[in-house]
Amino acid sequence: MRRDGFLKGVAALAVAGALPLPARAAPRLRITIPANYGGGWDATGRALGQALVEAGRADSVSYDNRGGAAGALGLAHFVNSSQGDANALMVMGAVMLGGILSGKPPVSLSQATPIARLTSEYNVYVLPANSPFRSLADVIAQLRKDPGSVKWGGGSRGSTEHAAAAMIAGAVGVDPSRINYVAFRGGGEAAAAVLGGYVTVGGSGYSEFAEFIRSGRMKPIAVTSPQRLPGVDVPTLKEQGIGVELGNWRGVYGAPGITAAQRKAVTDMVLAALATRTWREALARYDWTPAVLAGPAFDAFVVEEFEVLRATMLKAGMA
């Protein structure tokens, strides 16, 4: 075959979509995880990346862990390094909102592009196995007697564990600004503090304390969910007369400056990943509750969450 005839044939095949040309290949994505290795955000980002590959929406995914300041450092890096990049994503969630309100970073979440809420993981509050307290009622009685004597341990300042502790105090007639909260960098450190008896009550996502609860090394006293968690025999706060419900939701944002069409494409890509077996297995493995929300509804949700959290943090002296 003559050379010009061969080239015409190649061009025709490309137009017909029969060749796996680079322009038709799934993109190489980069997911910024604004936390250190391990923990909820890291697990979320890596599970999402694997699901994107399974769904055929990504050829490969790289992960960029940028921990610190409840996600604020990762947010700053993402905003400054991914302008207009439709192949860049960032994991975020309720903890980041608290970090922004308490840390006041030089960048704003509004600079990035909302894509979707993915999951919600409800917190569990636990006592060390050898605690003199046996129930939430015992803790509340001591809290009313001497708020500072009850040491609450959990994630970073402004985290859902911190906010829920302040909300619990307010619900039982204690000034939220008087709670004694000890912040840790993650569930691992919080678990060690509980096991060592350095805090009175520990709070974290259920999955991070589950093995210690099953082994009897921690005694669960309450969950922050609206109903009891499936397969978990721990009463809710509401069951115990405390009207507090708070989920540690997690979501994903796109890069600053992407177009409306790019935002829709990224949203469709993420939603397709959530339909994969990989993602369903991650939900089961980590006891995550599906909480999918996208588009304008997700935009409005984030705004409302900021306002609710800001009010709670102001009462507790956190912001």
Side-chain angles (χ1 to χ4, degrees), residues 126-129 153-155 161 182 184-199 201-213 217-218:
V126 300
L127 301 171
E161 300 95 89
V182 182
F184 297 97
R185 288 182 294 181
E189 287 191 6
V194 174
L195 295 172
Y198 298 112
V199 296
V201 186
S204 189
Y206 186 85
S207 63
E208 297 194 51
F209 283 173
E211 65 175 288
F212 304 111
I213 293 171
R217 299 175 69 190
M218 293 181 182

Side-chain angles (χ1 to χ4, degrees), residues 171-195:
V172 300
V174 175
D175 182 352
S177 67
R178 297 186 65 195
I179 64 170
N180 183 358
Y181 186 82
V182 182
F184 297 97
R185 288 182 294 181
E189 287 191 6
V194 174
L195 295 172

Side-chain angles (χ1 to χ4, degrees), residues 28 30 78 81-89 254-258 262 266:
R28 293 188 175 120
R30 174 173 59 88
F78 183 72
S81 68
S82 61
Q83 179 69 33
D85 185 355
N87 292 329
L89 297 171
I258 60 174
Q262 287 173 321
V266 172

Side-chain angles (χ1 to χ4, degrees), residues 260-281:
Q262 287 173 321
R263 177 184 178 181
K264 182 181 185 307
V266 172
T267 302
D268 291 345
M269 175 181 72
V270 168
L271 295 180
L274 304 187
T276 63
R277 183 178 65 180
T278 292
W279 186 254
R280 291 193 299 272
E281 289 175 348

Side-chain angles (χ1 to χ4, degrees), residues 175-308:
D175 182 352
S177 67
R178 297 186 65 195
I179 64 170
N180 183 358
Y181 186 82
V182 182
F184 297 97
R185 288 182 294 181
E189 287 191 6
V194 174
L195 295 172
Y198 298 112
V199 296
T200 311
V201 186
S204 189
Y206 186 85
S207 63
E208 297 194 51
F209 283 173
E211 65 175 288
F212 304 111
I213 293 171
R214 285 192 292 265
S215 67
R217 299 175 69 190
M218 293 181 182
K219 178 179 175 57
I221 56 174
V223 291
T224 62
S225 51
Q227 295 90 29
R228 292 195 183 200
L229 299 176
V232 177
D233 188 25
V234 181
T236 67
L237 289 167
K238 288 186 174 182
E239 282 182 67
Q240 301 178 78
I242 299 173
V244 173
E245 173 190 327
L246 188 64
N248 183 12
W249 61 269
R250 300 185 181 107
V252 63
Y253 264 52
I258 60 174
T259 66
Q262 287 173 321
R263 177 184 178 181
K264 182 181 185 307
V266 172
T267 302
D268 291 345
M269 175 181 72
V270 168
L271 295 180
L274 304 187
T276 63
R277 183 178 65 180
T278 292
W279 186 254
R280 291 193 299 272
E281 289 175 348
L283 292 175
R285 181 165 62 253
Y286 296 111
D287 292 310
W288 293 336
T289 301
V292 181
L293 193 66
F298 180 50
D299 299 359
F301 169 79
V302 173
V303 171
E304 182 179 354
E305 283 286 289
F306 258 124
E307 293 309 311
V308 171

